[in-house]
Amino acid sequence: MDNWNQSDKMVVRNLDLFYGSFHALFSVSLSIPAQQATALIGPSGCGKSTFLKSLNRMNELDEGCRISGNILLDGKDIYHDIEADLLRKRVGMVFQRPNPFPMSIYDNIAFGPRTHGIRSNARLTLIVEQALQAAALWEELGSDLKKSALSLSGGQQQRLCIARALAVEPEVLLMDEPTSALDPISTAKVEELILRLKRQYTIVLVTHNMQQAFRVADQTAFFLQGRLVEAGETRRLFSQPKERLTWEYLHGAG
C-alpha cells in the first residue's frame, strides 16, 4: 500500500469479516503505531476480539471465516505476503485466561524457541532468563525453573504466558483481556508490565476496563456492533470524544 506510514507498525484498511453468513466486522480501518499500546474497547460482542485475532490470522482457524480488505505489517500484506507461521512468530498472542502448558516453567518458555529450531541448551537457557526478566518474573521464579507452571498463582501464570510469547522475539503483542481473570494486585503487575513492554514492542490490548485503557494505552479504539466508531489518542478520546456514541458508552460504562 502506497499510503503506509512507517511510524505505524500495522495498518488495517477496509476490513470486513464474516463467519458464514454472519457479518462480524464492517469496513474497519485503523492504524496501529509502533512501540505504543492501542486499547480496543466496547461492549461484549462488539467485534474487539474478532478484530484482534485478525491481526495474526487466528480467525483462519475458525470454520467459515472470510475476510476482505488489507492488513499490513511493516507495509506487507499479512494475508498475501507473509506466511502464517512467520506472522504468528512476529505477532504473538496472550489470551484472556492463563494457559500454561502442563510442564516446567523452563519448558514453557523454551517451547516456542525449540519449535522454531533452537536446540542449544546454553542459548535456550539465556532465552528463558531474558523472557522471564522481561516479564518481571525472574526474581520470583528464576531459582526454581523445574517447578510446574501449573503450580503458580493466576497472576504468575499470566505473566509466564507473556514471557512465553516474548521468548520467540515478537514485534507485536496481542492481549485479549489479559487481566480479566486476575485479582487487583496481579492486574496492577500486568499493567506495569505493559507500560514497560510498550517501549520495545507494539501492543494491542482488548479490555472491558475503561480505567485500564486510560492507564496503559496511548491510543484507544471504540467498537460497537462490528464497527469502529472512533479511534484516537487515549486522553483526548476519553475527555473529548468526537462521536456521540463514544461519549454515551464512556459515561454509561462507569
Side-chain angles (χ1 to χ4, degrees):
M1 266 186 166
D2 55 10
N3 62 345
W4 173 62
N5 185 332
Q6 292 192 15
S7 66
D8 294 324
K9 186 65 178 176
M10 301 192 77
V11 177
V12 181
R13 291 289 179 260
N14 303 315
L15 177 67
D16 281 85
L17 188 145
F18 298 82
Y19 292 117
S21 61
F22 175 67
H23 199 167
L25 293 175
F26 296 82
S27 193
V28 175
S29 295
L30 180 66
S31 296
I32 299 170
Q35 293 180 297
Q36 291 189 22
T38 295
L40 312 179
I41 65 171
S44 296
C46 70
K48 305 183 302 295
S49 293
T50 296
F51 176 79
L52 189 77
K53 290 197 296 182
S54 73
L55 298 179
N56 72 348
R57 292 172 54 178
M58 284 196 67
N59 304 86
E60 288 184 339
L61 306 176
D62 298 325
E63 187 175 352
C65 180
R66 294 182 290 113
I67 287 177
S68 65
N70 301 95
I71 304 177
L72 305 184
L73 174 63
D74 288 338
K76 301 291 186 181
D77 191 303
I78 69 169
Y79 284 91
H80 299 103
D81 301 328
I82 305 174
E83 293 292 331
D85 288 345
L86 175 58
L87 175 69
R88 292 177 190 138
K89 180 178 184 296
R90 295 177 65 187
V91 183
M93 172 78 84
V94 176
F95 297 94
Q96 181 173 1
R97 292 192 174 275
N99 60 340
F101 301 142
M103 54 183 68
S104 70
I105 293 166
Y106 182 99
D107 287 333
N108 263 268
I109 306 299
F111 184 89
R114 283 173 173 153
T115 300
H116 291 287
I118 296 176
R119 295 289 179 263
S120 163
N121 287 332
R123 188 173 175 198
L124 286 170
T125 297
L126 179 61
I127 290 170
V128 169
E129 179 177 347
Q130 289 175 336
L132 288 172
Q133 286 178 337
L137 275 175
W138 180 251
E139 290 187 5
E140 296 174 42
L141 305 181
S143 63
D144 194 6
L145 297 179
K146 294 181 180 179
K147 184 177 181 180
S148 169
L150 299 180
S151 69
L152 303 178
S153 69
Q156 287 177 323
Q157 286 186 6
Q158 189 64 301
R159 284 185 286 148
L160 180 71
C161 291
I162 294 171
R164 190 174 66 197
L166 296 177
V168 297
E169 300 181 335
E171 300 159 36
V172 180
L173 197 57
L174 310 178
M175 296 182 163
D176 193 359
E177 297 188 60
T179 64
S180 65
L182 303 183
D183 61 79
I185 292 174
S186 297
T187 294
K189 288 183 178 180
V190 171
E191 288 184 6
E192 291 169 8
L193 183 56
I194 292 170
L195 290 171
R196 287 202 301 273
L197 290 175
K198 71 180 184 180
R199 301 170 191 164
Q200 183 176 352
Y201 304 93
T202 301
I203 295 175
V204 187
L205 167 79
V206 169
T207 181
H208 279 291
N209 186 325
M210 298 300 100
Q211 291 79 18
Q212 181 173 84
F214 190 80
R215 286 190 294 264
V216 305
D218 304 279
Q219 172 180 252
T220 296
F222 169 51
F223 283 77
L224 186 66
Q225 297 180 336
R227 292 176 168 83
L228 176 60
V229 175
E230 180 176 356
E233 191 272 328
T234 295
R235 293 184 181 276
R236 193 279 304 161
L237 186 138
F238 273 78
S239 62
Q240 294 180 308
K242 296 178 180 177
E243 301 294 332
R244 178 181 56 84
L245 289 171
T246 309
W247 189 93
E248 290 177 350
Y249 177 73
L250 291 172
H251 286 74

